[in-house]
Amino acid sequence: MTQLVELKDVHFAHGDRPLYNGLSLTVPKGKVIAVMGPSGIGKTTLLKLIGGQLKPNKGSIKVAGEEVPKLSRDKLYELRKRMSMLFQSGALFTDMSVFDNVAFPLREHTELPENIIRSVVLMKLEAVGLRGARDLMPSELSGGMARRAALARAIALDPELIMYDEPFAGQDPISMGVIVKLIKSLNQSLGLTSIVVSHDVKEVLSIADYAYVIADKKVVGEGTPDELRNNDTDIIKQFLQGNADGPVAFHYSNDDFTTDLLGGEK
Amino acid sequence: MSQFFENVGRRVLDSVAGIGFALAMFVSAIIGKPQPRKSWPLFIKQMYVVGVLSMVIIIVSGLFIGMVLGLQGYTILVDYGAEQSLGPMVALSLLRELGPVVTGLLFAGRAGSALTAEIGLMKATEQLSSLEMMAVDPLRRVIAPRFWAGLISMPLLALMFSAVGIYGGYLVGSGWLGVDEGAFWSVMQSAVDWRDDLLNGVIKSIVFAFVVTWIALYKGYRAVPTSAGISAATTSTVVTASLAVLGLDFILTAIMFGG
């Protein structure tokens, strides 16, 4: 099977704070890959590394056979036309209507006449159920609608790879269900490859073909959803079941609580 | 003590890195293949937002400053029987100094702060990131049209300021205090030089336009993407840009009129 995205031994630090120490994962073409992990381990950073917005300190990141950190600016922009990213906030352009937002990548990157752009936009909006909301401004949309509109924009150019950053966070059960179904059906009908970064274990495992669990600066577990559910290493079990106690510390600082209370330094 | 030097050193390094980044940003925003079909509408929109919407404050301020100049100038000049010189006094102060400088300050407060806040918020809501991921360079798409709009509109605003100010001086001096109308205009006409006064004023306003717009865009682009960060960036735009206008004004005046 061909690999669309390949990360090998990636090291990355935000300033002095190391986020990844030797992270490796692969994303085969046409699959839905879940990347799970506790908050604050840099899941969004992972997507930015794949998209070339950040450069790793060490290691190789390949997308469609191209070494992303080494690409020239023009080549990188060329590659980015083939991928897209759904940001957690949606990141719709607030000064344009929903229609213009979805039309934006088409107007930027194609020479299509306006009537064809209109048809494409309406098709994409229909796919996410927002054809009727085309004239609304982003500020008039609810959170769930904004994310669906952003999804329509993300698929406007029919990308090969789409990266979802926490697509389920802060959604009500209904729109969560809608988005879960959308991701799956987009994957099947358009044949695109999806990377879903999330900590909503149940939802993401219900659509993923393969999943990675990241903790402690590297991949600590991987497998198909069933394999992960039956995995009995402590860290995977703790994460899938949501226990406070386990290898992943709930507390940020590791100072002893009693000494801290009884007059530490500050 | 070593802490102190460490802090000074870090600040110096940070500001040098900042200037370097601003230059790199400038180069990649301005230089590149022009795409008139895409950038023209963006530029026109920014001319409206940055320029046209600043006209009210510029015209009203210009009128009042001109009227005050007329009033103050008259009370001083009349003691020497030189009230005919009111015209050149008003015109020269406006064209050489007050037009470019006050427009620069008002522009920093009105348009500069808005540019910083808008770009900072675009950054905070990931709009800039998402442009990048859509293979659209935010420097060309967001920064460049705002930069050109600022650079072109501010000198025009400064000229409007001076024109309205001169009219304000005329209203008070001639209409109210009774300076002879013909003397007011003709003495002004013979005293104001096209190159020395008008052109130098325009050059000043172009320099200020560049500095104010650039500071505003840079501060927005580098803003810490939080509410506190954007508020700090906006404040810093107005303070830095105002100080830069006043400081540069002294330097330019020394070069133009000093020797």
Side-chain angles (χ1 to χ4, degrees):
Chain A
M1 189 176 299
T2 45
Q3 309 292 347
L4 189 59
V5 180
E6 264 186 291
L7 274 73
K8 243 187 231 137
D9 192 33
V10 170
H11 292 249
F12 180 78
H14 253 316
D16 299 333
R17 199 164 63 97
L19 274 179
Y20 299 128
N21 266 334
L23 180 91
S24 301
L25 55 82
T26 53
V27 180
K29 227 178 167 71
K31 301 284 182 196
V32 179
I33 301 300
V35 177
M36 303 182 291
S39 310
I41 55 134
K43 298 193 290 291
T44 308
T45 308
L46 177 69
L47 299 185
K48 290 196 167 167
L49 283 167
I50 297 175
Q53 288 192 301
L54 296 172
K55 280 193 190 339
N57 303 100
K58 210 180 104 188
S60 131
I61 299 173
K62 275 190 180 154
V63 177
E66 310 228 42
E67 183 67 39
V68 176
K70 296 211 173 77
L71 287 179
S72 67
R73 189 182 159 285
D74 289 345
K75 287 248 178 71
L76 180 62
Y77 272 55
E78 224 25 68
L79 183 65
R80 278 185 188 156
K81 289 181 193 167
R82 295 160 59 190
M83 53 167 102
S84 77
M85 179 157 166
L86 182 67
F87 284 84
Q88 196 169 350
S89 59
L92 292 169
F93 302 125
T94 39
D95 56 345
M96 298 179 196
S97 69
V98 169
F99 183 96
D100 290 331
N101 260 288
V102 180
F104 180 83
L106 296 164
R107 289 182 180 145
E108 278 296 321
H109 294 310
T110 68
E111 302 287 330
L112 294 175
E114 202 55 27
N115 59 338
I116 295 188
I117 287 184
R118 189 185 126 87
S119 317
V120 176
V121 171
L122 292 186
M123 274 160 57
K124 303 296 177 190
L125 282 174
E126 177 70 17
V128 299
L130 286 179
R131 196 165 43 87
R134 72 187 101 154
D135 294 326
L136 297 183
M137 294 304 279
S139 55
E140 299 171 287
L141 301 177
S142 71
M145 285 161 86
R147 207 161 301 174
R148 273 148 64 200
L151 182 54
R153 185 178 67 179
I155 56 173
L157 281 175
D158 293 325
E160 292 167 45
L161 170 70
I162 176 160
M163 299 184 276
Y164 300 88
D165 186 8
E166 297 284 2
F168 314 116
Q171 299 287 313
D172 66 69
I174 301 173
S175 52
M176 187 120 104
V178 172
I179 291 177
V180 168
K181 245 199 255 152
L182 268 174
I183 295 177
K184 189 73 192 167
S185 67
L186 283 173
N187 199 70
Q188 285 164 346
S189 57
L190 300 177
L192 44 78
T193 310
S194 313
I195 302 177
V196 186
V197 154
S198 176
H199 49 225
D200 293 289
V201 174
K202 194 164 91 16
E203 285 73 22
V204 74
L205 283 187
S206 72
I207 49 167
D209 295 306
Y210 200 82
Y212 290 91
V213 179
I214 297 183
D216 203 19
K217 306 183 184 68
K218 54 183 183 292
V219 173
V220 293
E222 58 180 286
T224 61
D226 284 332
E227 283 168 14
L228 275 185
R229 286 189 199 102
N230 298 327
N231 191 319
D232 52 4
T233 42
D234 287 344
I235 195 161
I236 308 278
K237 259 177 48 198
Q238 185 203 354
F239 185 67
L240 292 196
Q241 293 165 5
N243 302 329
D245 280 326
V248 178
F250 161 68
H251 293 284
Y252 184 76
S253 129
N254 284 329
D255 285 352
D256 185 55
F257 188 40
T258 333
T259 34
D260 213 4
L261 272 184
L262 296 177
E265 278 186 25
K266 231 193 313 192
Chain B
M1 196 63 185
S2 73
Q3 184 76 29
F4 170 76
F5 284 114
E6 211 177 298
N7 286 338
V8 171
R10 182 165 304 132
R11 289 208 143 193
V12 171
L13 282 181
D14 281 352
S15 50
V16 171
I19 294 171
F21 184 87
L23 278 177
M25 197 175 128
F26 173 68
V27 169
S28 40
I30 305 310
I31 293 170
K33 194 170 64 188
Q35 297 171 303
R37 194 176 58 86
K38 278 178 201 159
S39 28
W40 187 250
L42 294 171
F43 168 73
I44 295 295
K45 188 180 168 202
Q46 289 309 320
M47 277 301 277
Y48 177 75
V49 173
V50 169
V52 176
L53 293 184
S54 303
M55 273 170 63
V56 174
I57 185 172
I58 293 295
I59 287 175
V60 173
S61 318
L63 187 68
F64 277 102
I65 287 188
M67 295 197 313
V68 168
L69 273 178
L71 205 51
Q72 291 280 18
Y74 180 82
T75 50
I76 295 169
L77 292 172
V78 80
D79 287 345
Y80 305 96
E83 65 267 28
Q84 266 86 4
S85 297
L86 186 65
M89 198 223 103
V90 169
L92 290 179
S93 353
L94 280 165
L95 288 172
R96 287 181 177 182
E97 287 298 333
L98 291 172
V101 172
V102 178
T103 306
L105 297 177
L106 292 172
F107 191 77
R110 162 67 183 73
S113 59
L115 286 175
T116 304
E118 188 191 16
I119 292 173
L121 208 58
M122 286 177 89
K123 186 179 182 188
T125 53
E126 297 180 310
Q127 292 182 52
L128 295 181
S129 268
S130 93
L131 274 175
E132 258 181 47
M133 284 305 294
M134 278 189 257
V136 176
D137 189 345
L139 289 176
R140 303 243 176 95
R141 169 90 200 179
V142 176
I143 301 292
R146 287 168 173 76
F147 170 73
W148 290 115
L151 189 67
I152 293 171
S153 62
M154 213 204 92
L156 295 176
L157 289 169
L159 283 176
M160 272 181 222
F161 185 97
S162 299
V164 174
I166 290 169
Y167 185 70
Y170 160 76
L171 276 185
V172 168
S174 229
W176 177 20
L177 300 170
V179 177
D180 180 65
E181 197 174 323
F184 184 91
W185 292 116
S186 65
V187 179
M188 183 193 300
Q189 206 175 9
S190 60
V192 176
D193 184 68
W194 187 85
R195 209 195 135 271
D196 282 348
D197 303 317
L198 190 68
L199 190 66
N200 276 341
V202 171
I203 291 173
K204 269 189 183 178
S205 64
I206 293 175
V207 173
F208 297 161
F210 179 86
V211 170
V212 170
T213 316
W214 200 255
I215 288 175
L217 294 172
Y218 169 74
K219 295 279 180 191
Y221 202 72
R222 289 288 287 227
V224 180
T226 59
S227 341
I230 293 170
S231 129
T234 313
T235 309
S236 158
T237 289
V238 177
V239 173
T240 319
S242 307
L243 292 178
V245 164
L246 295 171
L248 279 172
D249 181 51
F250 179 75
I251 296 174
L252 289 173
T253 308
I255 295 172
M256 290 167 174
F257 306 101

